[in-house]
Amino acid sequence: MSRDRAYHHGDLRAALITASFELLAEGGLRRFSVAAVARRLGVSSAAPYRHFPDRDHLLSAVSGAAAHDLRAAILKAAVAAGPPAPDDLGATDPAAAGSAPAGPAAAADRLAAVAGAYFRYVVATGAGFHVIYAPELYAVADENRREQTRALMDTLLDLATATDVPSYRQAVPLVEAIIAVAHGYTSLFADGFFARGGPQAVETVAARATEAARALIRAEPRP
Amino acid sequence: MSRDRAYHHGDLRAALITASFELLAEGGLRRFSVAAVARRLGVSSAAPYRHFPDRDHLLSAVSGAAAHDLRAAILKAAVAAGPPAPDDLGATDPAAAGSAPAGPAAAADRLAAVAGAYFRYVVATGAGFHVIYAPELYAVADENRREQTRALMDTLLDLATATDVPSYRQAVPLVEAIIAVAHGYTSLFADGFFARGGPQAVETVAARATEAARALIRAEPRP
DNA sequence: CAACTATGTAAGAGGGCTATCACTTGTTAA
DNA sequence: TTAACAAGTGATAGCCCTCTTACATAGTTG
């Protein structure tokens, strides 16, 4: 064949992206460089420039892949957290927020699970919103990245509107708050902040992030 | 005198720290470098090394100053948010902050104000917990920094225990959650995340951060 | 005023990174 | 088979950074 096992290296383009993820997971954006990625793959430092015109375009491809994978991780976690609604916009009746009726309560669980999923994904890969929305990428024209980030945000907004927020417009600040708390826990964890009083397990902090998200959802004004 | 207007430059050490803040505010940690700080002050690139043995020690001094200033900003905002308790552990009575009763409610207001104060301070200075707890500073021995960060955390924990959390031990995760949400909003704002749907004012996001913190405090288990 | 000390400069070694260029090697297709 | 193309290499220019060394200068102190 010719498509899957390409010329000299064998799909160096894809390898560059996965090696970039490894680098990000180990040292964050600070350590990321085209030269380091090439070194890790054992290719010359000029090789990446056959596939990406410059550093920012490689980073943009990583950003697009991260948005895609993060969306998948979030969807998986959301489904695991509660029964998937037949319709994302939730045409359910106004049942109470008692113990666990199917409608809004399950939707709230799914939405809260986003925070934990975000935390776990970014701790594992190093590629969170600081990479997906890295300022240096604003000038980069990359249709795939645009598409993936849009899909990610749409998914988050869908999960939010499936709870009983009054409107799509109200869902935006709710999603932003959940992202903020998830990103905050993640960023502090990555900087070793939680290691002050003895190292804390990833799962402990992931649970905290999820719980905080749940509190934010509960506090949201209801119609 | 000789203390205030020192030798050649006039307290270059302090000037290096304030110039570092400016640099952080403009370009974040990514743009910070000893050479850039020196350039900004119009001194040679070797001059900073008369006052700090290496880059990390300068950054550590900035971190200590940031912890000090941030603590001051937080205290000021906390006092403005509610009547200062005569004793940090509460024991106050009337004089409401608008509609709420004095004791725990006012304490909750003060604690929630931490998030807004953090957001405003870091947006203005660029020096948040990612600088104060920068991983590269773990190896740096800097007594002042240790002292300032300890004081900052103690202040936060005091504000938390002044609410009706069951114990000091319970205050730690509450403080961490508030820091997480504040840091998350700040970090996303700095990366331009909120500029997606039209630029948002600093105060708008600061209010969101404060409101999110309030939700986290309300959700805390009570004795 | 003469040593001494503190502070700053000029120059540069040494290193990493981005990006380019001419060249080589393997693959495809006329 | 051979021209054209795709993909990788070695070398290198140019930039910025950290940190050092030798030297210059300005206050301090006996």
Side-chain angles (χ1 to χ4, degrees):
Chain A
M1 306 301 289
S2 58
R3 284 295 112 77
D4 47 358
R5 169 147 291 277
Y7 301 87
H8 300 167
H9 173 278
D11 208 356
L12 178 58
R13 196 195 137 93
L16 287 166
I17 293 174
T18 62
S20 295
F21 271 97
E22 294 172 21
L23 223 58
L24 287 173
E26 288 163 22
L29 255 186
R30 198 124 189 87
R31 292 271 209 291
F32 172 82
S33 78
V34 177
V37 175
R39 214 177 300 128
R40 167 169 301 246
L41 292 173
V43 297
S44 78
S45 67
Y49 293 94
R50 291 288 172 199
H51 299 275
F52 300 98
D54 57 33
R55 181 201 132 106
D56 286 351
H57 279 79
L58 168 54
L59 199 54
S60 180
V62 174
S63 164
H68 176 272
D69 295 352
L70 177 55
R71 175 168 176 269
I74 281 172
L75 279 175
K76 192 176 161 197
V79 168
D87 192 309
D88 263 343
L89 289 180
T92 54
D93 58 329
S99 48
D109 283 343
R110 287 197 294 277
L111 184 56
V114 165
Y118 179 90
F119 180 84
R120 290 188 195 91
Y121 178 81
V122 181
V123 166
T125 64
F129 275 66
H130 59 298
V131 170
I132 294 173
Y133 287 97
E136 57 252 58
L137 301 184
Y138 282 148
V140 177
D142 177 345
E143 198 43 54
N144 176 62
R145 172 171 166 264
R146 245 173 249 287
E147 177 63 31
Q148 300 298 340
T149 53
R150 205 182 48 68
L152 172 59
M153 289 308 295
D154 284 352
T155 296
L156 292 174
L157 288 169
D158 285 349
L159 285 170
T161 45
T163 67
D164 52 355
V165 291
S167 73
Y168 197 82
R169 201 170 202 77
Q170 289 274 12
V172 172
L174 176 57
V175 164
E176 287 175 348
I178 289 167
I179 290 177
V181 77
H183 184 65
Y185 270 108
T186 308
S187 177
L188 292 174
F189 186 87
D191 280 355
F193 177 78
F194 293 113
R196 292 184 335 279
Q200 260 173 306
V202 173
E203 279 310 313
T204 305
V205 184
R208 292 259 167 80
T210 306
E211 201 45 53
R214 201 186 309 277
L216 294 174
I217 296 164
R218 269 201 304 267
E220 207 49 21
R222 294 288 144 73
Chain B
M1 300 303 291
S2 57
R3 284 294 111 78
D4 48 357
R5 170 147 291 278
Y7 301 87
H8 300 167
H9 173 277
D11 207 356
L12 179 58
R13 196 195 137 94
L16 287 167
I17 292 174
T18 63
S20 296
F21 271 97
E22 293 172 22
L23 223 58
L24 287 172
E26 289 164 21
L29 256 185
R30 197 117 189 93
R31 292 272 209 292
F32 172 83
S33 78
V34 176
V37 175
R39 214 178 299 127
R40 168 169 299 246
L41 292 173
V43 297
S44 78
S45 66
Y49 293 93
R50 289 289 173 200
H51 299 274
F52 301 97
D54 57 32
R55 181 201 132 106
D56 285 351
H57 279 80
L58 169 55
L59 198 55
S60 181
V62 173
S63 163
H68 176 272
D69 295 353
L70 177 55
R71 175 167 176 269
I74 281 173
L75 279 174
K76 194 176 160 195
V79 168
D87 190 307
D88 262 343
L89 289 180
T92 137
D93 50 349
S99 58
D109 283 342
R110 286 197 294 278
L111 185 56
V114 165
Y118 179 90
F119 180 84
R120 290 189 195 91
Y121 177 80
V122 181
V123 166
T125 65
F129 275 66
H130 59 299
V131 170
I132 295 174
Y133 287 96
E136 56 252 58
L137 300 184
Y138 282 149
V140 177
D142 177 344
E143 198 42 55
N144 176 63
R145 172 172 166 263
R146 246 174 249 286
E147 177 62 32
Q148 300 298 340
T149 54
R150 206 182 47 70
L152 171 59
M153 289 309 295
D154 283 353
T155 295
L156 292 175
L157 288 170
D158 284 349
L159 284 169
T161 46
T163 66
D164 53 354
V165 291
S167 72
Y168 197 82
R169 200 170 203 77
Q170 289 274 11
V172 172
L174 176 58
V175 164
E176 287 175 348
I178 290 167
I179 290 177
V181 77
H183 184 65
Y185 269 109
T186 307
S187 177
L188 292 174
F189 186 87
D191 280 354
F193 177 77
F194 294 112
R196 292 186 334 281
Q200 259 173 307
V202 173
E203 280 310 313
T204 305
V205 184
R208 291 260 167 80
T210 306
E211 201 46 53
R214 201 186 308 278
L216 294 175
I217 296 164
R218 269 202 304 268
E220 207 49 19
R222 293 289 144 73

